[in-house]
Amino acid sequence: HKMSSLIAAGTSICGVTAITALSPAIKATQRDTGFAVANVVAFGTLGMLTYPYLAHALLSSSHQIGVFLGLAVHDTSQVIGTALTYSAVYGDEEVLKVATVTKLTRNLFLAGVIPWLTYATAKKEGLVPDRSSSSSSSLLPSFAEFKKYFPGFVAGFVGMSALRTAGDMTLASQGLALGFLEPETWKAATKLVGNEIGSHYLLGTAMAAVGLSTSASALKGVGAKPFVVGLVGAGAVGATGFTSAVILGQLFL
């Protein structure tokens, strides 16, 4: 069950990042985490190698192609790589912009899915207290229980997303980010925190931690079933992405 949750989160939201966020929250084993990461990397890489050419053959507009790539490929870095490949091969920079926005919008679902999967796993294991016989004043979860099913990673993700949104909005409306930062200062600060410290060092450290905590011996004896599940999930996400791109292209683009 935990491996299925990890594969589902990684396939449907943002790849390895979602897996590394969910794994400690549901107390997944090394084996479960390792197989989930292997699934996302394998099928995401396959998408990187095939989807740019498939999209060019089947879709007509840059916006449709960008939406498809942003929805069909698993990991954020893989989406950017796929869109860069398309831009380099076919000379269309608009695809990169649309794919990036689509993928970042998809990443926002982390804020809801991670706590829900954490709670669902705890409930399945009988770790959620039964409140059906409690008084009405105790039906709502306590702060400690809420914190237990709402990982710190999600709180940080939501908080930094809100801060970045507020900064960009005030910069556009007032000319100063958050009311006091010059455009150049705000751009440099977001680049330093998001691109260099966050994406380069902190995310890299998290990925290294996953690798160091996963032993090859822990992956033995699982069989092909997890990869079959991953293949089906990747196919479903790809089909959903293509269908969404076609429908949205006809309605809005």
Side-chain angles (χ1 to χ4, degrees):
H1 177 263
K2 291 182 179 181
M3 186 187 295
S4 299
S5 297
L6 292 172
I7 293 175
T11 302
S12 60
I13 307 177
C14 61
V16 177
T17 304
I19 293 172
T20 54
L22 180 61
S23 178
I26 63 175
K27 296 179 174 58
T29 63
Q30 296 179 6
R31 185 180 67 173
D32 291 345
T33 304
F35 262 92
V37 170
N39 258 287
V40 167
V41 172
F43 294 116
T45 302
L46 181 62
M48 288 180 63
L49 297 175
T50 58
Y51 282 161
Y53 310 101
L54 184 65
H56 182 74
L58 299 179
L59 298 171
S60 58
S61 71
S62 300
H63 286 84
Q64 284 182 317
I65 294 170
V67 169
F68 168 64
L69 297 181
L71 292 177
V73 183
H74 299 340
D75 202 76
T76 303
S77 59
Q78 292 173 337
V79 170
I80 302 301
T82 305
L84 283 172
T85 298
Y86 187 95
S87 298
V89 173
Y90 299 108
D92 192 342
E93 295 291 335
E94 190 69 19
V95 168
L96 176 60
K97 297 177 183 179
V98 176
T100 302
V101 172
T102 302
K103 187 66 181 75
L104 294 178
T105 303
R106 183 175 158 197
N107 290 354
L108 292 176
F109 285 92
L110 273 175
V113 172
I114 299 299
W116 178 78
L117 286 175
T118 304
Y119 175 82
T121 301
K123 186 175 182 180
K124 185 177 180 66
E125 296 178 349
L127 301 177
V128 178
D130 184 10
R131 296 177 174 273
S132 59
S133 60
S134 303
S135 62
S136 59
S137 61
S138 62
L139 290 179
L140 294 177
S142 64
F143 176 75
E145 291 173 336
F146 176 80
K147 184 179 179 182
K148 181 179 180 181
Y149 304 123
F150 195 83
F153 165 82
V154 177
F157 176 79
V158 173
M160 295 305 292
S161 297
L163 178 64
R164 177 62 190 267
T165 301
D168 289 344
M169 291 179 64
T170 52
L171 181 63
S173 61
Q174 303 175 14
L176 294 173
L178 303 176
F180 65 93
L181 291 176
E182 295 290 338
E184 295 78 11
T185 305
W186 176 246
K187 182 179 180 180
T190 55
K191 181 179 180 180
L192 174 64
V193 175
N195 295 351
E196 297 181 16
I197 297 177
S199 298
H200 186 70
Y201 294 105
L202 298 182
L203 186 57
T205 301
M207 298 300 103
V210 172
L212 289 172
S213 63
T214 302
S215 172
S217 60
L219 303 180
K220 295 180 180 179
V222 177
K225 287 184 179 180
F227 288 100
V228 173
V229 173
L231 176 62
V232 173
V237 170
T240 301
F242 179 80
T243 303
S244 299
V246 172
I247 294 176
L248 291 174
Q250 292 177 348
L251 294 178
F252 304 109
L253 304 179

